[in-house]
Amino acid sequence: QVQLVESGGGLVQPGGSLRLSCAASGSIFRINDMGWYRQAPGKQRDLVAAITSGGSTNYADSVKGRFTISRDNAKNTVYLQMNSLKPEDTAVYFCNAVITTDWQRQPYNYWGQGTQVTVSS
C-alpha cells in the first residue's frame, strides 16, 4: 500500500528550469535509496539521479552540473531540480524508492506514475 506521487512536470523552453517532487506515503518502515529515472518514446528507462539515505548522490553524465537531487526525510519526499534544460531532456520522469514496509520488513522497489517533462521552443 505504498504510493509515490509525483508533481512538477510540464512544458519549458530550452534553458529553463523545473523542479520535480515525489512524496511517498503508506505503511512505511524505512526509505532507503531514492532516485529519478526518465524514458523517452522508443527508448529505455535510464537513471537520471539517485540519492541514498545518507545523502550520497549519483548522476547520469548527461545531467551533471545541471540537475540536483535532494530529499527531505521528514516529508518522505525526493526532489529533482532541473536547470539549463535541453530538448534532449524531454521524457517521462519516474520517481523510484527502495522502501521497507511495516508489514513485510523487506526492501522493495516502488515506482511513481511518471510525470511528463517537455523542453521545446
Side-chain angles (χ1 to χ4, degrees):
Q1 63 182 32
V2 170
Q3 186 177 23
L4 302 181
V5 179
E6 301 163 323
S7 62
L11 174 65
V12 66
Q13 293 185 324
S17 298
L18 287 173
R19 191 181 77 153
L20 307 182
S21 63
C22 171
S25 62
S27 301
I28 298 171
F29 177 74
R30 179 171 59 248
I31 301 178
N32 302 104
D33 296 350
M34 304 185 81
W36 291 93
Y37 291 71
R38 68 186 181 188
Q39 186 170 25
K43 303 295 182 64
Q44 66 180 248
R45 186 177 298 184
D46 294 323
L47 175 69
V48 177
I51 185 167
T52 69
S53 60
S56 297
T57 59
N58 186 43
Y59 297 93
D61 288 340
S62 59
V63 307
K64 286 181 179 177
R66 300 188 297 121
F67 292 8
T68 302
I69 189 170
S70 61
R71 63 191 287 170
D72 186 335
N73 292 331
K75 296 181 179 180
N76 292 334
T77 300
V78 62
Y79 305 93
L80 185 67
Q81 179 65 47
M82 309 165 67
N83 299 326
S84 302
L85 283 162
K86 304 175 181 179
E88 308 92 87
D89 296 318
T90 296
V92 177
Y93 284 70
F94 296 90
C95 176
N96 173 261
V98 179
I99 298 174
T100 300
T101 66
D102 289 330
W103 316 121
Q104 293 292 321
R105 296 297 177 96
Q106 178 175 290
Y108 183 78
N109 257 354
Y110 291 88
W111 292 92
Q113 78 285 357
T115 184
Q116 178 71 46
V117 172
T118 302
V119 184
S120 177
S121 60

